[in-house]
Amino acid sequence: MADEFELIQTFFTTHGNREDVLLGVGDDAAILQPPPGRQLVMTLDTLISGVHFPEQTSPSDIAYKSIAVNLSDLAAVGARPEWLMLSLSLPDNNTEWLQAFSQSFMQTCERYGVQLIGGDTTRGELSVSVQATGSVEAGRAMRRDAARPGDAIVVTGPLGDAALALALLQRGEEAPASLLQRLNRPAPQVEFGQRAAEVCNCAIDISDGLLADLQHITDASECGAEIDLSAIPLSSAYRQCYQNNISVSNLTKALTGGDDYELCLCTSFEQLQRLTQIARSCGANCFTIGKITAESGIRCINENGQLVDIPVSGYKHF
Amino acid sequence: MADEFELIQTFFTTHGNREDVLLGVGDDAAILQPPPGRQLVMTLDTLISGVHFPEQTSPSDIAYKSIAVNLSDLAAVGARPEWLMLSLSLPDNNTEWLQAFSQSFMQTCERYGVQLIGGDTTRGELSVSVQATGSVEAGRAMRRDAARPGDAIVVTGPLGDAALALALLQRGEEAPASLLQRLNRPAPQVEFGQRAAEVCNCAIDISDGLLADLQHITDASECGAEIDLSAIPLSSAYRQCYQNNISVSNLTKALTGGDDYELCLCTSFEQLQRLTQIARSCGANCFTIGKITAESGIRCINENGQLVDIPVSGYKHF
């Protein structure tokens, strides 16, 4: 049976060749040349089997998603991804699983230009922690506390697909491929996040659900928000699952389900056009769904202009 | 029941106030000012209950040790610790446990001048991942691949105490307090590691066992080593547990047990005196236990000058 060193040697010795990685996988610690004149951005997210992904998720999807959720955090700040560290806990030494996992992990690294620089493997329940470091031009990071009353609230894509796919799986039903793709292969807004930081000060990634994440913004920025429910972008697969009957209760997944990893940004209406242009040039979308208010609290307004009471409850990991 | 946000808010909102932490716990990602003119050093280690520490270990000791093992990795490179990230997985929301854990975690951060900058909490089996970032003067990092034939091999303290304590606990016996202390509260050589890098190019921390870790050095440096068994430093508690009968078989814990987190350094005999002086000025020790050889393989020599066959088998996490 292979031991920890052989596992690392076999599967995770990186083939990356970034010049700023002076010492990568295999020593006590990695040594890195920080990008000159930039600030560092660091995030760490753990995915646990049965909590953050269904147990039947493929090793390839788990590897992809463990990177994607971290790159999404970097995108929310506007950072360029640089390096990753991986802590992998596995119940047994399953070579086939590890091979599929590591292949997908390395492919995803390559796709986003990041390099795996270290970490460890341990025996335990299936759990993947990825720590990602990125960088941002000094003073340019987007933050949760930078929303201002009057700002437009923008999201980058349809919401609720991942939560809907998960709910279908949990009910033992089949989920449409496009929804499953959104659950297992969320696309972090890496390029748009960086470009958006040129004109936008405030963003968050929607990992806990739109209302919960928006509340992080309004809490940190000491303001409130008004959401136009009819403007929430929904995929056609989402609509079809509800027979195109998008009542308020059928919006729940879109409003409180997390895991889509779209960005929610707040920017002045003057900058909105520029942000939309930037999105277009990145192949991303911008949907204006409401505005920041001086009055605290998040108010959801339906198509008839009526206030609708929706509890702000994001996905609770704990 | 408190949710993830409340947990973080309550227990891990850091009271650190490092000026280089521009945004700490609570946003999507932390934003940091890298230390000017220095290289970054990054490590990530996970401790799992029942694998890396006995299940009865106190939350306070778990918190301490999760930091110490990472600072030890930084020390092995000669880095100054800067920031930590924490991923904590807990089977249930045990407020008392969390309070004790977080208090010890914050105290340990303070003691070493590092700041917690982010991470996450999840529900799962008890597991603690700490990612540590340090910095080192450019080109000054100690590495595994820098040992040269003729170098003296030095260790910073008695070996085998932690492994012996663990073995006693696993047999249901009582372990002397000083051995337990070494298992649960290993002291990373943070100051000495940084100072040692002034005169030494090659080091590793002894986490997997002396012979296993020395083999990482000889493999990476393409050389071998000769160890004088009678020179292996042992604590008096260790000796007493064996009734002062230090036969080769009673040396096993010292040679192949890990978890003491002493450093093993290789340096020219010319620099040895300077290294010893530096150690003294830091309150650390230097024990010369052998030398690096051009011939590959690790040879253990007993007090009669005879070659003794000892299998190089470190602690296997997998």
Side-chain angles (χ1 to χ4, degrees), chain B residues 196-312:
Chain B
E198 294 168 18
V199 297
C200 186
N201 300 321
C202 176
I204 197 167
D205 75 322
I206 306 175
S207 53
D208 299 313
L210 174 66
L211 295 185
D213 286 311
L214 190 54
Q215 187 168 298
H216 296 322
I217 286 182
T218 56
D219 283 354
S221 301
E222 298 181 353
C223 57
E226 202 174 280
I227 298 295
D228 174 4
L229 293 182
S230 65
I232 301 291
L234 304 171
S235 70
S236 57
Y238 185 100
R239 289 179 182 278
Q240 277 165 28
C241 279
Y242 291 109
Q243 286 83 41
N244 287 306
N245 169 26
I246 304 302
S247 64
V248 167
S249 71
N250 289 346
L251 269 177
T252 304
K253 296 277 182 285
L255 293 173
T256 65
D259 250 12
D260 288 313
Y261 300 97
E262 297 293 345
L263 296 185
C264 174
L265 308 99
C266 302
T267 191
S268 70
F269 275 89
E270 293 76 44
Q271 291 284 19
L272 189 53
Q273 200 185 350
R274 180 83 189 102
L275 191 67
T276 308
Q277 281 167 353
I278 288 173
R280 203 169 297 130
S281 75
C282 301
N285 287 303
C286 269
F287 302 94
T288 303
I289 60 162
K291 60 172 192 244
I292 294 295
T293 60
E295 190 188 346
S296 66
I298 296 176
R299 285 164 300 286
C300 294
I301 311 292
N302 70 12
E303 55 195 351
N304 303 318
Q306 293 160 326
L307 196 66
V308 181
D309 190 34
I310 297 171
V312 178

Side-chain angles (χ1 to χ4, degrees), chain B residues 4-316:
Chain B
E4 191 192 359
F5 314 118
E6 291 170 57
L7 278 181
I8 293 170
Q9 192 70 34
T10 309
F11 293 111
F12 296 112
T13 300
T14 177
H15 298 290
N17 54 358
R18 289 177 59 114
E19 283 185 2
D20 56 4
V21 179
L22 309 172
L23 190 62
V25 175
D27 216 294
D28 283 303
I31 305 174
L32 307 145
Q33 188 63 52
R38 293 172 73 91
Q39 290 166 346
L40 297 173
V41 180
M42 297 176 79
T43 182
L44 168 60
D45 271 311
T46 298
L47 302 186
I48 294 180
S49 180
V51 181
H52 301 90
F53 54 84
E55 279 161 23
Q56 67 267 38
T57 309
S58 74
S60 168
D61 285 343
I62 295 169
Y64 173 88
K65 191 166 177 175
S66 69
I67 295 179
V69 301
N70 279 285
L71 297 189
S72 180
D73 279 326
L74 295 185
V77 175
R80 179 180 76 201
E82 312 281 1
W83 318 299
L84 298 183
M85 305 194 84
L86 165 67
S87 173
L88 175 63
S89 160
L90 271 182
D92 49 32
N93 181 3
N94 182 332
T95 306
E96 209 178 320
W97 192 99
L98 260 174
Q99 196 146 21
F101 179 92
S102 60
Q103 192 176 350
S104 166
F105 197 93
M106 293 310 178
Q107 275 170 356
T108 310
C109 282
E110 206 163 307
R111 173 167 162 194
Y112 291 104
V114 293
Q115 187 168 330
L116 179 67
I117 57 166
D120 68 352
T121 53
T122 49
R123 186 186 291 283
E125 65 177 8
L126 179 54
S127 153
V128 188
S129 294
V130 170
Q131 187 277 333
T133 301
S135 71
V136 69
E137 206 179 308
R140 265 289 163 82
M142 298 188 286
R143 301 167 58 128
R144 296 180 181 188
D145 61 4
R148 297 291 169 262
D151 278 357
I153 302 169
V154 165
V155 295
T156 51
L159 302 178
D161 288 350
L164 183 53
L166 185 62
L168 291 169
L169 289 181
Q170 284 173 338
R171 288 206 302 260
E173 293 176 32
E174 213 167 307
S178 69
L179 296 187
L180 273 181
Q181 176 79 5
R182 296 268 290 164
L183 176 65
N184 293 327
R185 296 265 168 173
Q189 295 284 354
V190 172
E191 194 193 343
F192 177 58
Q194 292 172 70
R195 297 284 315 280
E198 294 168 18
V199 297
C200 186
N201 300 321
C202 176
I204 197 167
D205 75 322
I206 306 175
S207 53
D208 299 313
L210 174 66
L211 295 185
D213 286 311
L214 190 54
Q215 187 168 298
H216 296 322
I217 286 182
T218 56
D219 283 354
S221 301
E222 298 181 353
C223 57
E226 202 174 280
I227 298 295
D228 174 4
L229 293 182
S230 65
I232 301 291
L234 304 171
S235 70
S236 57
Y238 185 100
R239 289 179 182 278
Q240 277 165 28
C241 279
Y242 291 109
Q243 286 83 41
N244 287 306
N245 169 26
I246 304 302
S247 64
V248 167
S249 71
N250 289 346
L251 269 177
T252 304
K253 296 277 182 285
L255 293 173
T256 65
D259 250 12
D260 288 313
Y261 300 97
E262 297 293 345
L263 296 185
C264 174
L265 308 99
C266 302
T267 191
S268 70
F269 275 89
E270 293 76 44
Q271 291 284 19
L272 189 53
Q273 200 185 350
R274 180 83 189 102
L275 191 67
T276 308
Q277 281 167 353
I278 288 173
R280 203 169 297 130
S281 75
C282 301
N285 287 303
C286 269
F287 302 94
T288 303
I289 60 162
K291 60 172 192 244
I292 294 295
T293 60
E295 190 188 346
S296 66
I298 296 176
R299 285 164 300 286
C300 294
I301 311 292
N302 70 12
E303 55 195 351
N304 303 318
Q306 293 160 326
L307 196 66
V308 181
D309 190 34
I310 297 171
V312 178
S313 59
Y315 183 67
K316 303 282 166 93

Side-chain angles (χ1 to χ4, degrees), chain A residues 4 22 26-28 30-32 39-42 46 87 120 122 125 133 141 143-144 204-205 208 317-318, chain B residues 4-5 22-23 26-28 30-32 39-42 46 87 120 122 125 133 141 144 204-205 317-318:
Chain A
E4 190 192 357
L22 308 172
D27 215 294
D28 283 302
I31 305 175
L32 308 145
Q39 291 167 345
L40 297 172
V41 180
M42 297 176 79
T46 298
S87 174
D120 68 352
T122 50
E125 66 176 8
T133 302
R143 302 168 57 130
R144 295 180 181 190
I204 196 167
D205 74 323
D208 298 312
H317 297 310
F318 221 78
Chain B
E4 191 192 359
F5 314 118
L22 309 172
L23 190 62
D27 216 294
D28 283 303
I31 305 174
L32 307 145
Q39 290 166 346
L40 297 173
V41 180
M42 297 176 79
T46 298
S87 173
D120 68 352
T122 49
E125 65 177 8
T133 301
R144 296 180 181 188
I204 197 167
D205 75 322
H317 297 307
F318 224 78

Side-chain angles (χ1 to χ4, degrees), chain A residues 66-272:
Chain A
S66 70
I67 296 179
V69 299
N70 279 284
L71 297 189
S72 179
D73 279 328
L74 295 185
V77 176
R80 179 180 75 200
E82 312 282 1
W83 318 301
L84 297 183
M85 306 196 83
L86 166 68
S87 174
L88 176 63
S89 162
L90 272 180
D92 48 32
N93 182 1
N94 183 331
T95 308
E96 208 178 319
W97 192 98
L98 260 175
Q99 196 144 20
F101 179 91
S102 60
Q103 193 177 348
S104 166
F105 197 93
M106 293 311 179
Q107 275 171 355
T108 310
C109 282
E110 206 162 308
R111 172 168 162 193
Y112 290 104
V114 292
Q115 186 167 332
L116 179 68
I117 56 166
D120 68 352
T121 54
T122 50
R123 186 187 291 284
E125 66 176 8
L126 179 54
S127 150
V128 188
S129 294
V130 169
Q131 187 277 330
T133 302
S135 71
V136 70
E137 205 179 309
R140 265 291 163 82
M142 297 187 286
R143 302 168 57 130
R144 295 180 181 190
D145 60 5
R148 296 293 168 261
D151 279 358
I153 302 170
V154 164
V155 296
T156 52
L159 302 178
D161 288 350
L164 182 54
L166 184 62
L168 291 169
L169 290 180
Q170 283 172 339
R171 288 207 300 261
E173 294 177 32
E174 213 168 309
S178 70
L179 296 187
L180 274 180
Q181 176 79 4
R182 296 268 290 164
L183 175 65
N184 294 326
R185 296 263 166 176
Q189 296 284 357
V190 173
E191 194 194 343
F192 176 59
Q194 291 172 71
R195 296 284 316 282
E198 295 168 19
V199 298
C200 186
N201 299 321
C202 177
I204 196 167
D205 74 323
I206 305 174
S207 53
D208 298 312
L210 173 67
L211 296 186
D213 286 311
L214 190 55
Q215 187 168 297
H216 296 324
I217 286 182
T218 56
D219 283 354
S221 301
E222 299 179 352
C223 57
E226 201 173 283
I227 297 296
D228 173 5
L229 293 181
S230 66
I232 301 291
L234 303 171
S235 71
S236 57
Y238 186 101
R239 290 178 182 279
Q240 277 164 28
C241 279
Y242 291 109
Q243 285 84 43
N244 287 308
N245 169 26
I246 304 304
S247 63
V248 167
S249 71
N250 289 345
L251 269 177
T252 304
K253 296 277 181 287
L255 294 173
T256 66
D259 249 11
D260 287 314
Y261 300 98
E262 298 293 346
L263 296 185
C264 173
L265 308 99
C266 302
T267 192
S268 69
F269 275 89
E270 293 74 48
Q271 292 284 18
L272 190 54

